[in-house]
Amino acid sequence: MALRKILGMETEFGIFHRRAGDSNPIAASSVLINAYINSLDRSGTASPIPRVGWDFVDETPANDARGLNLFTAMAPEVEIHLVNAVLTNGARYYVDHAHPELSTPECADPLTVVLYDRAAEMILVESMRQANAALPEGEEIVVYKNNSDRKGNSYGTHENYLMDRTTPFSRVVAQIMPHFVTRQIYTGAGKVGSEAVGISSEQVPFQITQRADFFEEQVGLETTLKRPIVNTRDEPHADAKKYRRLHVIVGDANLSQVSTFLKIGPTALVLCLVEDDCLDRTFVLKDPVLAMRQVSYDLSLRRPLELDGGGSITALDMQWEYFRSAQRYAESRGLDCIGGEEVGGEVLRRWEHVLTALESDPMQLADQLDWVAKYRLINGYRERHDLRWNDARMAAMDLQYHDMRPAKSLFSRLGVETLVDDADAAVAMSEPPEDTRAYFRGKCLQKWSDDIVAANWDSMVFDIGDDPLRRVPMMEPTRGTKAHVGSLLAECETSSELLRRLGS
Amino acid sequence: MPERTQKQRPAPQRSEEALVDTPAKSEAGEKLKADLDDLLDEIDDVLETNAEDFVKSYIQKGGQ
């Protein structure tokens, strides 16, 4: 049976320090995150914020799932000197390269990912508020949840899926690649124009995704150059003998919660089908890298994609193939692998709904999908003022769609459907999910932050006075839940008592 | 190895007019359109005032 999909997202936000001259984005990101951490320190609320740093001992982003080690010289660097905090909701909030980045805690179903992604947005909004209150008059740090500066520089929104190590990686690559290429029709956040070399505004006035312009390889380890559709980073942050973590770099940052839900849900379910080898048919695209752009540039959703060995299929029909396989799988094996019948049924229902609507009239989804909502707004403005697509006002509206300031966000004016309550997301800013190891991490930080010197995804390090530092391993993402350790954590008064009872 | 299969079934029936330029005809579509008109009436107050400078100065390096 397919492994329960433990899920997470990592978002690099765009950052813009206004009226600050030649501001350094690394410094601005540090100011932003520190302002948030300091405000929690000052608040003295029930959740004392940890001054807990990230523990890099298990970071191995250069490991390649194909077993290769040829690319070490080009491997991602781990920057250990920058701001790097662990929050009481189990998330990591840090400066990565030149961006503020927030990684959600581990979540056990797609709707919980949506909740923690919304909590992440609210953390960034509060961070801006805190940072800007302390900046000189006139200066302002503004955060954007998008993936491109429109000048060829892209930054990522990555997804993570826990997978069974025994599934051959070659099968994962072959069977998930067509899904990544074709899911763009509902995951895209939309973009005015193209950043690909030699593509004019006349050729591509508007495209479905932020990211499609930036993919150059089918499979690889890179994340910043020659980005691959399937990333091979082999860093499970869990027991490496049992698990792999599929690190997905091909998606857009979504403001629409429906888009986020459909980015994570169907992908998690398709990966269950891959593990159980249950896809009815497998298609091989002739040129997946080219197809990424063909799909993104085709707002009619009718362009056929060439298949290896002849024949063709549209992105929509490919998605129907995946959907029907998933539907049959759910009927025979159930949906426990993505969180149970209720949330899994919602994944199937919404997936079918968007495919049906995309087939008849995509504009029906203007209150659900990012790219449709953005297209409708910008095209409506363009028609009213008789503008050309390459007018700077079109590009400015594209960027401002993603502006995280509540008063400036264009997205928030569009009445797009939400799946989680902001009141619940406000709680999730400081409370961890209850059904993954993030619960143990978050609750320990709430209760004993003074005794914790470092934390990372799969361990925590305690300092309880005279004894040597104690590392508590957390190699099982589904252990350390409220059901497992809730009463233990409630009963222990001190961290040394906890460590004694854990037997570490 | 994945099975290599050509597309075997006919494409689903679809109308021929350009999808994106087709206005939504449903009741929900009419409401969306009215909402959009209202939004466009007031959006100039919110938009960045100097679009060209704003777009030019928004530079993001060093991303993944």
Side-chain angles (χ1 to χ4, degrees), chain A residues 19 66 118 126 139 157 165 191 198 282 288 299 318 351 373 410 422 431 466 480 485 497 500:
Chain A
R19 294 178 287 276
R66 297 164 296 184
R118 178 63 190 141
E126 177 62 12
E139 285 186 30
T157 304
R165 171 69 62 177
K191 184 163 73 179
T282 305
L299 303 195
M318 183 87 86
W351 191 5
L410 296 187
D422 270 2
E431 287 293 323
D466 299 335
V485 298
E497 185 183 350
R500 187 162 43 76

Side-chain angles (χ1 to χ4, degrees), chain A residues 147-302:
Chain A
N147 302 105
S148 144
D149 68 358
R150 310 189 42 81
K151 297 166 189 69
N153 300 310
S154 186
Y155 34 103
T157 304
H158 299 172
E159 304 144 59
N160 297 297
Y161 301 85
L162 192 71
M163 293 194 70
D164 189 335
R165 171 69 62 177
T166 60
T167 306
F169 192 68
S170 57
R171 185 163 91 214
V172 178
V173 171
Q175 298 192 352
I176 202 64
M177 179 100 63
H179 177 66
F180 286 163
V181 172
T182 56
R183 71 173 193 168
Q184 293 184 95
I185 59 176
Y186 50 83
T187 63
K191 184 163 73 179
V192 172
S194 167
E195 292 162 273
V197 177
I199 301 284
S200 70
S201 176
E202 282 74 33
Q203 290 167 291
V204 180
F206 184 95
Q207 62 176 305
I208 291 174
T209 74
Q210 294 261 299
R211 284 283 266 185
D213 285 333
F214 302 103
F215 286 81
E216 298 174 54
E217 304 281 345
Q218 293 189 35
V219 186
L221 188 58
E222 298 288 346
T223 54
T224 56
L225 296 159
K226 291 191 175 298
R227 293 181 183 90
I229 297 168
V230 178
N231 184 268
T232 56
R233 182 181 298 183
D234 190 4
E235 190 186 21
H237 296 311
D239 184 343
K241 290 190 291 297
K242 292 164 68 176
Y243 304 117
R244 72 169 74 250
R245 172 182 62 118
L246 188 66
H247 185 59
V248 178
I249 69 169
V250 79
D252 282 5
N254 293 111
L255 279 305
S256 158
Q257 295 177 10
V258 177
S259 291
T260 298
F261 187 65
L262 288 174
K263 181 170 63 182
I264 303 290
T267 302
L269 189 50
V270 168
L271 289 170
C272 295
L273 270 75
V274 172
E275 281 177 346
D276 287 340
D277 212 2
C278 282
L279 281 169
D280 295 334
R281 292 193 286 173
T282 305
F283 295 85
V284 182
L285 291 166
K286 189 175 179 189
D287 187 343
V289 174
L290 179 67
M292 281 290 296
R293 292 184 194 179
Q294 288 176 330
V295 171
S296 186
Y297 295 171
D298 175 25
L299 303 195
S300 78
L301 309 182
R302 289 175 178 183

Side-chain angles (χ1 to χ4, degrees), chain A residues 12 15 18 96-97 149 151 153 155-156 211 223 281-282 300 302 312 375-376 381 384 400 408, chain B residues 3-4 7-9 12 14-15 17 19-20 32 36 39 41 44 46 48 55 58 60 62 64:
Chain A
E12 289 184 309
I15 187 164
R18 300 172 79 106
D96 190 41
H97 301 272
D149 68 358
K151 297 166 189 69
N153 300 310
Y155 34 103
R211 284 283 266 185
T223 54
R281 292 193 286 173
T282 305
S300 78
R302 289 175 178 183
S312 64
Y375 175 84
R376 192 169 145 278
Y381 190 87
R384 178 176 286 208
Q400 201 178 335
K408 284 288 188 180
Chain B
E3 182 192 348
R4 294 185 178 189
K7 186 168 178 266
Q8 287 160 352
R9 65 187 178 87
R14 237 181 274 145
S15 62
E17 65 265 40
L19 290 171
V20 164
L32 280 171
L36 179 64
L39 179 60
D41 287 341
D44 282 316
V46 185
E48 294 285 348
V55 171
Y58 184 83
Q60 305 285 322
Q64 294 212 52

